[in-house]
């Protein structure tokens, strides 16, 4: 399970985005969630538990992904941005190392 410190805050979001040299683009509908309480609430309201295999489309920098990994048995993400798809496993290993083996990243367009 992810500890509270395993969530991404605004500072970590800015840091990762700067390292990747990216800014959210409207073309891909990118918005990065920075509030841990928001992602926890989304997961709670969705009723995610350890028996679930969750598919997340457009994980971005991984804020919701980390919250999903805290509760779900497995998480598969589909990310169109190649930089984000490549960086997400490192983010999960850094913030939730025990959950890294339960994450699958698919680089591609979920609509195509």
């Amino acid at each position: 399970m992810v500890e509270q410190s395993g969530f991404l805050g605004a500072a970590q979001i800015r840091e990762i985005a700067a390292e990747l040299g990216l800014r959210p683009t409207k073309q891909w509908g990118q918005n990065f969630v920075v509030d841990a309480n928001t992602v926890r609430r989304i997961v709670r309201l969705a009723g995610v538990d350890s028996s679930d295999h969750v598919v997340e489309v457009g994980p971005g920098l991984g804020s919701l992904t980390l919250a999903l990994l805290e509760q779900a048995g497995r998480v598969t993400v589909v990310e169109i941005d190649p930089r984000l798809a490549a960086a997400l496993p490192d983010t999960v290993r850094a913030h939730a190392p025990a959950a890294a083996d339960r994450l699958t990243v698919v680089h591609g367009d979920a609509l195509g």
Side-chain angles (χ1 to χ4, degrees), residues 12-51:
Q12 290 92 1
I13 296 278
R14 283 190 296 275
E15 181 181 317
I16 294 169
E19 287 173 7
L20 296 174
L22 70 91
R23 298 175 70 153
T25 68
K26 289 184 182 181
Q27 172 189 0
W28 288 339
Q30 293 173 322
N31 294 286
F32 302 137
V33 180
V34 299
D35 181 46
N37 290 322
T38 298
V39 294
R40 277 194 199 100
R41 185 167 190 238
I42 291 167
V43 173
R44 181 177 47 80
L45 291 173
V48 175
D49 68 34
S50 63
S51 67

Side-chain angles (χ1 to χ4, degrees), residues 27-92:
Q27 172 189 0
W28 288 339
Q30 293 173 322
N31 294 286
F32 302 137
V33 180
V34 299
D35 181 46
N37 290 322
T38 298
V39 294
R40 277 194 199 100
R41 185 167 190 238
I42 291 167
V43 173
R44 181 177 47 80
L45 291 173
V48 175
D49 68 34
S50 63
S51 67
D52 292 324
H53 183 165
V54 177
V55 176
E56 179 186 7
V57 176
L61 296 171
S63 296
L64 180 57
T65 307
L66 289 167
L68 289 167
L69 284 166
E70 181 178 62
Q71 297 299 320
R74 290 206 53 76
V75 176
T76 297
V77 299
V78 182
E79 176 57 61
I80 195 169
D81 186 321
R83 294 170 297 176
L84 294 173
L88 188 55
D90 293 334
T91 299
V92 171

